[in-house]
């Protein structure tokens, strides 16, 4: 086979592929009336992200002409992107501050979420008091023996400062005290969970929606981090998950938020989080 | 194709075509240089407020980085970058140069044709994949060893060692290959063994090229980010051994970049400025060594 035939064949292959893509796209259009397309973009908290993605999937299934784009970045990113218009909706996994509302943002609470204190799954610790949690995360206690565990160095794993989970944790569990400088820092819920799962003697905090059997969630003051306990307020490490928009939501963004707050949307929320 | 060029020649003066082609190609060169200059200028200007407000000295030798207190000092991170780079080189230099010798001098063509693409493939693996492997395999093993957290300079050094290996191998292989065959033949003719010729003749002749390969490897290691973020721990405290976690200049930028505002954001650009000048320094060192070698060769 000479060079020219090879080139011809590969060109033909590329052509067929591109052509079929176009045909596929046309098929889609011909099925219904040509419709207006709506794009809604979200960014911010990695706690809200998986929930928003699941909601978007169901919403898009019902409304074919909507396209929901969900990004990450952390709660602070959600606030700043919504404020400066980089995205339509910001995701925030803590209470929205008064200063942020004064800046022109409008907040919708879409769910409540507990913050679980997680440890490596082989660690023989099932309960921690708030005082112990403060001592561990502030660096006052550095060995598990001090809280009745094995002779094992404690590795504190935290999120970076922009994280809503981090801010909520510092406010709720640490009474505003800062965490130790020697903490390992990770920049998303997922990588924090992976770090705790792969480090013996590790402790961290995690959105309850992310809990699975790779890590162990401990009781706080004897109360287990379960949806039921968050609901009846016995588990106190909890915060709202919010969506923020610049001014009240309008147009496509409002349609999506209305869906989330509807009975159908809240049923999806209730699978891993607490419905409002 | 050739007939097309002939047709053009009929219509245009041949020299005119040459001239136009030359300017177009100069244009391409200029674009790449301009982009480089634009990036450097942008980073330096964006970092300036920090150097003004905090001071160059306090920024570079400051030991506290706290967004809450609006204090930014990167001394521990500079040390982190340097130590993890040094460790990566310590792990990879001997293996890489051994590998380069194998490829350039010892291996038969068949082995070489298999080995070289494999090493090039090593350079093609995305850094996030290296990081993931480090996080899932290396970090737990090191954690087991010290009965604590495996996030450490050691983990970062090992991952980086793998990543700089292809750079050092390919450049030092070129350097060894560039030694004239007559050197080797002369040594052998004088009764030297293959090993003696390699150790006393070929390697000394290729020395500057090999050093350059190590320096460029260092440049690659110090700029690596994604793999490090995942295994080095990113903690703010000063490390006391290679088993401790650390924060490097690159991971500092990566951790904070997506939410930094105001002076904090400027401080990240200032970090990038320091990083950039470190890398420029490293690369110009390599150029200087290469140029000196070229002069020696010409005068010889």
């Amino acid at each position: 086979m000479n060079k020219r035939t090879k080139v011809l064949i590969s060109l033909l292959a590329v052509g067929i592929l591109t052509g079929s893509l176009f045909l596929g796209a046309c098929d889609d259009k011909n099925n219904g009336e040509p419709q207006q397309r709506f794009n809604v973009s979200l960014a911010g908290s990695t706690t809200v992200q998986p929930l928003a993605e699941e909601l978007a999937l169901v919403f898009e299934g019902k409304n074919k002409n909507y396209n929901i784009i969900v990004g990450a970045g952390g709660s602070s990113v959600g606030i700043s992107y919504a404020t400066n218009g980089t995205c339509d909706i910001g995701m925030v996994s803590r209470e929205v501050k008064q200063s942020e509302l004064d800046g022109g943002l409008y907040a919708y609470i879409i769910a409540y979420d507990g913050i679980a204190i997680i440890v490596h799954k082989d660690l023989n610790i099932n309960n921690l008091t708030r005082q112990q949690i403060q001592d561990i995360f502030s660096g006052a206690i550095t060995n598990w023996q001090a809280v009745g565990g094995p002779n094992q160095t404690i590795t504190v794993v935290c999120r970076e400062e922009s994280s809503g989970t981090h801010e909520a944790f510092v406010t709720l569990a640490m009474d505003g005290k800062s965490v130790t400088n020697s903490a390992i820092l990770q920049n998303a819920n997922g990588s924090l969970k992976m770090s705790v799962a792969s480090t013996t003697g590790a402790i961290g905090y995690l959105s309850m929606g992310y809990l699975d059997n790779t890590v162990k969630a401990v009781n706080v003051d004897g109360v287990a981090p379960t949806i039921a306990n968050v609901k009846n307020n016995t588990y106190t490490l909890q915060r709202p998950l919010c969506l923020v928009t610049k001014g009240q939501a309008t147009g496509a963004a409002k349609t999506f938020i209305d869906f989330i707050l509807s009975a159908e949307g809240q049923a999806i929320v209730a699978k891993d989080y607490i419905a409002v | 194709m050739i007939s097309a060029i002939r047709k053009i020649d009929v219509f245009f003066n041949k020299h005119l075509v040459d001239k136009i082609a030359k300017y177009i190609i100069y244009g391409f060169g200029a674009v790449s240089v301009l982009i480089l200059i634009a990036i450097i200028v942008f980073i330096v200007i964006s970092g300036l407020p920090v150097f003004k407000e905090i001071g160059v000295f306090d920024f570079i030798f400051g030991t506290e980085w706290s967004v809450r207190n609006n204090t930014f000092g990167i001394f521990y991170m500079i040390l982190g970058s340097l130590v993890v780079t040094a460790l990566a080189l310590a792990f990879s230099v001997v293996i890489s140069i051994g590998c380069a010798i194998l490829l350039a001098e010892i291996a038969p063509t068949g082995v070489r044709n298999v080995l070289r693409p494999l090493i090039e493939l090593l350079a093609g693996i995305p850094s996030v994949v290296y990081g993931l492997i480090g996080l899932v395999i290396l970090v737990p093993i090191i954690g087991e060893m010290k009965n604590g957290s495996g996030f450490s300079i050691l983990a970062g050094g090992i991952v980086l060692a793998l990543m700089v290996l292809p750079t050092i191998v390919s450049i030092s292989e070129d350097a060894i290959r560039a030694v004239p065959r007559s050197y080797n033949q002369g040594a052998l003719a004088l009764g030297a063994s293959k090993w003696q010729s390699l150790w006393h003749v070929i390697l000394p002749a290729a020395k500057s090229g090999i050093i350059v390969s190590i320096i460029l490897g260092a440049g690659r290691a110090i700029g690596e980010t994604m793999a490090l973020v995942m295994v080095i721990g990113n903690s703010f405290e000063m490390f006391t051994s290679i088993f401790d976690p650390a924060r490097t200049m690159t991971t500092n930028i990566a951790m904070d970049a997506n939410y930094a505002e105001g002076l904090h954001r400027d401080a990240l650009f200032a970090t990038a400025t320091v990083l950039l000048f470190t890398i420029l320094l490293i690369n110009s060192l390599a150029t200087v060594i290469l140029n000196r070698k070229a002069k020696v060769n010409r005068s010889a």
Side-chain angles (χ1 to χ4, degrees):
Chain A
M1 192 171 3
N2 65 24
K3 228 180 197 167
R4 193 169 283 183
T5 356
K6 270 187 194 168
V7 170
L8 267 177
I9 289 175
S10 38
L11 275 181
L12 205 66
V14 172
I16 290 171
L17 279 175
T18 344
S20 55
L21 275 180
F22 274 111
L23 282 178
C26 288
D27 269 355
D28 221 25
K29 267 182 199 157
N30 290 342
N31 278 345
E33 292 286 297
Q35 280 174 314
Q36 199 185 345
R37 307 281 306 170
F38 295 105
N39 287 317
V40 183
S41 58
L42 290 84
S45 162
T46 59
T47 302
V48 188
Q49 186 193 3
L51 177 61
E53 277 168 354
E54 205 175 333
L55 287 162
L57 208 65
V58 177
F59 182 74
E60 282 173 343
K62 288 167 56 89
N63 306 278
K64 298 269 187 241
N65 55 335
Y66 275 79
N67 186 23
I68 315 274
I69 305 145
V70 183
S75 293
S76 307
V77 172
I79 294 283
S80 66
Y81 278 16
T83 308
N84 64 24
T86 310
C87 68
D88 303 319
I89 303 175
M91 303 181 285
V92 183
S93 62
R94 54 170 166 78
E95 287 193 33
V96 179
K97 295 171 198 155
Q98 191 55 46
S99 62
E100 291 159 354
L101 294 174
D102 292 343
L105 288 183
Y106 197 88
Y108 299 84
I109 295 178
I110 61 162
Y112 287 92
D113 175 36
I115 298 175
I117 306 297
I118 56 166
V119 295
H120 188 267
K121 67 176 190 300
D122 296 336
L123 193 72
N124 188 23
I125 293 274
N126 295 311
N127 182 56
L128 288 171
T129 65
R130 282 175 85 95
Q131 188 57 48
Q132 286 171 332
I133 291 172
Q134 286 192 9
D135 288 346
I136 289 171
F137 277 92
S138 66
I141 295 178
T142 54
N143 194 300
W144 283 111
Q145 257 174 340
V147 292
N151 181 14
Q152 166 91 51
T153 320
I154 298 177
T155 302
V156 177
V157 189
C158 287
R159 294 281 309 283
E160 83 292 355
E161 283 186 47
S162 76
S163 152
T165 311
H166 177 79
E167 276 197 59
F169 173 78
V170 167
T171 317
L172 296 168
M174 301 292 288
D175 295 333
K177 268 184 263 172
S178 39
V179 296
T180 168
N181 255 348
S182 63
I184 305 287
L185 299 182
Q186 293 292 333
N187 55 10
N189 272 299
S191 53
L192 183 138
K193 183 173 76 180
M194 211 144 116
S195 306
V196 173
S198 66
T199 309
T200 34
I203 186 170
Y205 48 79
L206 190 68
S207 153
M208 267 173 53
Y210 272 85
L211 278 182
D212 59 25
N213 57 12
T214 60
V215 291
K216 181 160 89 178
V218 299
N219 298 351
V220 178
D221 286 330
V223 183
T226 60
I227 290 183
N229 287 341
V230 172
K231 246 181 188 165
N232 63 25
N233 281 328
T234 48
Y235 190 82
T236 50
L237 301 183
Q238 53 171 285
R239 42 45 196 285
L241 304 184
C242 306
L243 296 183
V244 295
T245 50
K246 195 172 171 81
Q248 285 208 18
T250 52
K254 183 176 178 353
T255 319
F256 183 48
I257 292 177
D258 285 345
F259 166 76
I260 297 174
L261 295 174
S262 73
E264 193 187 357
Q266 287 297 306
I268 298 169
V269 168
K271 275 195 277 182
D272 287 315
Y273 302 85
I274 294 93
V276 287
Chain B
M1 192 65 193
I2 292 167
S3 65
I5 291 172
R6 281 201 191 114
K7 268 178 207 152
I8 291 171
D9 280 352
V10 174
F11 290 105
F12 293 102
N13 182 321
K14 213 154 65 180
H15 297 292
L16 186 68
V17 174
D18 278 0
K19 231 178 223 172
I20 292 171
K22 192 175 88 180
Y23 285 131
I24 290 175
I25 289 168
Y26 263 104
F28 289 142
V31 167
S32 62
V33 172
L34 281 179
I35 290 173
L36 177 70
I37 292 173
I39 290 175
I40 293 177
V41 167
F42 177 74
I43 290 175
V44 172
I45 287 179
S46 307
L48 272 185
V50 170
F51 292 124
K52 270 191 205 141
E53 209 151 313
I54 299 179
V56 177
F57 186 86
D58 285 343
F59 179 71
I60 292 179
F61 292 101
T63 56
E64 194 197 351
W65 178 282
S66 165
V67 181
R68 230 188 235 191
N69 303 339
N70 229 16
T71 320
F72 302 102
I74 60 166
F75 188 57
Y76 291 164
M77 301 166 201
I78 296 176
L79 289 182
S81 285
L82 294 180
V83 169
V84 78
T85 301
L87 195 67
L89 292 180
F91 285 137
S92 64
V93 159
V94 174
I95 300 176
S96 316
I97 294 176
C99 206
I101 294 171
L102 176 71
L103 285 175
E105 290 293 326
I106 297 169
T109 323
V111 175
R112 187 183 305 150
N113 287 346
V114 175
L115 204 55
R116 191 181 294 136
L118 286 181
I119 289 172
E120 277 160 11
L121 203 66
L122 213 54
I125 297 175
S127 62
V128 67
V129 176
Y130 281 105
L132 196 62
I133 294 170
L135 178 64
V136 176
I137 297 173
L138 216 50
V139 171
I141 292 176
I142 296 172
E144 202 81 12
M145 270 161 49
K146 61 174 267 207
N147 194 23
S149 148
F151 290 97
S152 56
I153 294 177
L154 180 63
I158 294 174
V159 168
L160 282 189
L162 287 175
M163 298 183 70
V164 299
L165 197 116
T167 308
I168 303 182
V169 170
S170 62
I171 298 173
S172 42
E173 188 204 341
D174 286 345
I176 295 168
R177 212 173 269 285
V179 176
R181 302 314 297 168
S182 56
Y183 285 27
N184 187 29
Q185 287 160 354
L188 295 179
L190 288 170
S193 70
K194 265 188 169 175
W195 168 252
Q196 284 170 325
S197 160
L198 184 70
W199 191 249
H200 294 287
V201 178
I202 298 177
L203 284 185
K207 195 174 72 187
S208 64
I210 292 173
I211 290 173
V212 167
S213 80
I214 296 170
I215 291 173
L216 292 178
R220 168 129 170 71
I222 210 165
E224 179 47 46
T225 312
M226 200 55 223
L228 272 185
V229 166
M230 299 171 80
V231 300
I232 204 165
N234 312 310
S235 62
F236 287 111
E237 210 173 53
M238 178 61 195
F239 50 91
T240 50
S241 80
I242 57 167
F243 292 100
D244 283 348
R247 199 174 173 95
T248 67
M249 289 186 273
T250 52
T251 65
N252 185 43
I253 297 172
M255 288 292 289
D256 289 10
N258 57 10
Y259 72 98
E261 278 167 73
L263 191 66
H264 182 202
R265 189 192 170 92
D266 301 338
L268 292 184
F269 276 109
T271 312
T273 309
V274 174
L275 185 65
L276 194 71
F277 277 100
T278 316
I279 293 174
L280 284 181
L281 201 73
I282 289 173
N283 282 0
S284 30
L285 196 66
T287 317
V288 167
I289 290 177
L290 270 182
N291 283 347
R292 215 172 52 192
K293 168 72 180 166
K295 258 179 219 155
V296 171
N297 273 354
R298 266 199 299 276
S299 61

